Amino acid sequence: MDNIGEWYHITAPDTYSYLPLDFDFSQNGDIWVAFIRHNNLDGTLVSSGGIKILNYNNTILDSSDDEWHELISPDILPGGANQDVYSLVFSETEGQEILWVMTADGIQGYIVNGYNLTPIYPQTFYGNIGITKGDRLKVDHQNNIWVITKHSGVRVIRANTERWPTDD
């Protein structure tokens, strides 16, 4: 929506980038979009899952200059490439932009370098709680990551990667 209340949209980059679930803006203004994977009953791919990145070149109302990008190594996501990405959010820790990604296999934070991701921790967080569609990540003003689930309550990954509560 623009500043006078008019709605706009972005257009998918291909015929298999449908069913977005979440998005966030990186520090450079790109829009990172989380997709779920889905096939029709006949097996036709409708949505490939994963993450796609839109550089709209600071002209959100002009799609002619939009540039869509994919991750350099999508297999680095929890569970690998083409996973359902239920939520994503950006935070900042010690001057580094961190992208947090939630899939059914857990949550991981990544240092972002262009379209390349480097995990900040050797294993995923909360891979044991059964993350599902509808669960979400949120970031607070202290860069803590709030993990909100429909079935297991609320958990927090602190900015220093400590978990709260600590009994998990």
Side-chain angles (χ1 to χ4, degrees):
M1 184 184 312
D2 68 9
N3 59 358
I4 60 171
E6 293 185 35
W7 286 91
Y8 297 94
H9 70 278
I10 58 175
T11 303
D14 48 46
T15 58
Y16 51 88
S17 293
Y18 295 99
L19 304 177
L21 282 184
D22 204 1
F23 70 93
D24 201 4
F25 291 86
S26 65
Q27 289 175 348
N28 70 359
D30 287 351
I31 304 171
W32 291 59
V33 184
F35 291 91
I36 60 171
R37 183 175 180 79
H38 180 75
N39 289 17
N40 281 337
L41 291 177
D42 66 0
T44 305
L45 182 66
V46 173
S47 187
S48 61
I51 296 173
K52 295 201 172 50
I53 304 105
L54 172 62
N55 176 342
Y56 60 94
N57 288 302
N58 294 317
T59 59
I60 195 73
L61 305 181
D62 178 8
S63 63
S64 68
D65 62 352
D66 289 357
E67 298 173 18
W68 282 92
H69 302 276
E70 296 192 20
L71 295 175
I72 292 171
S73 299
D75 55 321
I76 201 165
L77 297 175
N82 300 321
Q83 292 295 308
D84 293 338
V85 177
Y86 297 129
S87 189
L88 55 77
V89 67
F90 282 96
S91 71
E92 187 174 317
T93 301
E94 298 178 6
Q96 288 281 341
E97 182 175 40
I98 307 294
L99 173 67
W100 292 90
V101 176
M102 173 188 273
T103 73
D105 290 306
I107 301 162
Q108 181 60 274
Y110 300 93
I111 296 171
V112 177
N113 183 8
Y115 306 116
N116 193 37
L117 303 178
T118 303
I120 65 166
Y121 202 73
Q123 62 188 30
T124 59
F125 295 86
Y126 301 117
N128 61 332
I129 64 172
I131 295 169
T132 61
K133 184 178 172 183
D135 296 346
R136 290 284 178 256
L137 298 174
K138 298 290 180 186
V139 62
D140 66 22
H141 68 282
Q142 296 176 336
N143 287 296
N144 298 310
I145 305 304
W146 292 74
V147 180
I148 303 140
T149 67
K150 299 183 296 182
H151 46 74
S152 298
V154 176
R155 292 169 163 76
V156 177
I157 304 170
R158 294 182 178 157
N160 65 3
T161 67
E162 290 179 1
R163 300 176 192 197
W164 181 88
T166 58
D167 57 8
D168 290 330

